[in-house]
Amino acid sequence: MTDNTLLIENIRTASRLMVRELGFMNPTLAATEYSASAVHTLLEAERLGAVTAAQLVNELGLEKSSVSRMLGKLIKAGELTEVVSVDDARVKHLQLTEQGKASVVKINAYGKMRVADALAHLDTAKQKAVAEGISAYARALKSCRDGSQANPQNPVIISSGYQPGMIGRISEMHARFYSRHANFGSFFESKVAAGLAEFTGRLGHENNRIWLAVQNGKIVGSVAIDGQDLGNNEAHLRWFILDDGCRGGGIGRKLLSEAVNFCDQQKFSATQLWTFSGLDAARRLYESFGFTLTKEWDGDQWGSRVMEQQFTRTAG
């Protein structure tokens, strides 16, 4: 048996064991009354804020008919509700109900407990090896399904400054993401594009900078520092966004590192950013860089009513 054959067999054996131990052989999953596909649907609804049936077909790799039946059951059970798109009445977004949110809290608590219990049997070095290895393997499996190449052949490069098509691409990423998460429509996309176009004309100023994450010539992430619009020697962190396929890979942290380091170099007294509640992963990332929630209010400046938030990072 060659080394490569042995490696493949070891991975297959480990995969079978994981499937059994995590309960995927059972008719229900994660201490719920729902199937694995239903549990994953609830988790995707939480992650995306709002999701369509077509998105679930793509994300979960299931047949359209299977997804339709499953969604009907979850809606009937009170876990999901349908919301008509503000831009196209033919499109229905699915969002978690209060019951659904409570179910996801229980699912996440159960999942975290299982992981923590397993990690307790490993030393620190092996815990890190598991986290890195299983993440890389999961991304490789996904690459096989969507036809993309593995990350090593397609590195994401962080660059600064204007690139052709930047305004349209960044606006598109914002529109797609926030349509799902907050049901924002054309008003929001137009406002993003207009603000970014105005800012691009000021990129020559020493206090303004934009960073782009680029993969295979395509912009997959961005962040900008506007050092002029707030005054008082304060910086405005703007247009932080990632393409769906790049989340969870550390690209967002690299972009924010560039932005925060620039603010420190320019000696701004503070850096402000505006967002809204419910984007928990982004909030944890902001807080890891020293941002704290300083203001919160009910607003609709983006076209839909949300709980808007202001985060502040002070110098020193």
Side-chain angles (χ1 to χ4, degrees), residues 31-293:
T32 70
E33 298 178 354
Y34 299 123
S35 65
S37 58
V39 168
H40 280 249
T41 293
L42 295 177
L43 292 174
E44 286 300 305
E46 180 205 29
R47 182 177 73 88
L48 297 174
V51 66
T52 64
Q55 286 174 313
L56 286 171
V57 168
N58 181 61
E59 290 292 333
L60 302 182
L62 298 174
E63 294 292 332
K64 183 177 179 180
S65 57
S66 298
V67 170
S68 296
R69 289 193 297 271
M70 175 185 59
L71 290 176
K73 292 178 181 178
L74 289 174
I75 292 171
K76 185 177 180 180
E79 304 285 355
L80 295 175
T81 186
E82 290 183 322
V83 179
V84 177
S85 171
V86 296
D87 289 329
D88 189 344
R90 296 170 299 178
V91 177
K92 294 181 179 180
H93 294 283
L94 296 147
Q95 296 178 337
L96 292 172
T97 62
E98 291 303 315
Q99 175 184 319
K101 292 177 182 178
S103 294
V104 168
V105 169
K106 294 178 181 177
I107 291 169
N108 285 330
Y110 178 83
K112 291 176 182 177
M113 179 270 292
R114 291 298 307 273
V115 173
D117 286 351
L119 291 179
H121 294 270
L122 304 172
D123 59 33
T124 301
K126 288 183 178 178
Q127 289 176 0
K128 292 181 179 179
V130 167
E132 293 173 359
I134 200 169
S135 296
Y137 185 52
R139 289 193 295 269
L141 286 172
K142 188 176 186 301
S143 296
C144 293
R145 178 160 67 92
D146 61 26
S148 63
Q149 296 179 348
N151 285 338
Q153 287 81 24
N154 296 275
V156 176
I157 299 171
I158 308 297
S159 62
S160 64
Y162 169 80
Q163 286 194 22
M166 175 185 81
I167 296 172
R169 175 60 179 150
I170 295 174
S171 300
E172 176 194 1
M173 287 190 291
H174 275 79
R176 291 184 181 279
F177 180 81
Y178 287 102
S179 173
R180 295 194 304 267
H181 281 270
N183 209 27
F184 289 172
S186 58
F187 175 82
F188 170 74
E189 183 175 357
S190 300
K191 193 167 183 177
V192 169
L196 186 55
E198 187 276 331
F199 172 75
T200 300
R202 298 189 281 110
L203 273 175
H205 193 282
E206 62 179 1
N207 284 343
N208 300 333
R209 189 74 57 87
I210 191 165
W211 294 266
L212 305 172
V214 181
Q215 186 176 42
N216 288 342
K218 180 181 180 180
I219 296 172
V220 295
S222 68
V223 70
I225 292 295
D226 188 337
Q228 290 182 286
D229 66 331
L230 297 182
N232 299 318
N233 193 36
E234 293 186 348
H236 184 182
L237 190 147
R238 312 179 74 178
W239 302 298
F240 177 52
I241 192 72
L242 290 174
D243 188 70
D244 287 344
C246 290
R247 292 192 178 89
I251 305 304
R253 180 167 293 278
K254 291 180 180 179
L255 285 168
L256 278 184
S257 293
E258 294 284 354
V260 167
N261 289 339
F262 176 75
C263 290
D264 291 341
Q265 292 167 7
Q266 298 301 106
K267 300 187 184 304
F268 290 114
S269 60
T271 304
Q272 310 285 354
L273 69 86
W274 281 264
T275 182
F276 58 90
S277 65
L279 305 177
D280 296 335
R283 175 171 181 168
R284 288 192 293 270
L285 187 56
Y286 295 143
E287 290 176 336
S288 73
F289 279 92
F291 285 91
T292 57
L293 179 63

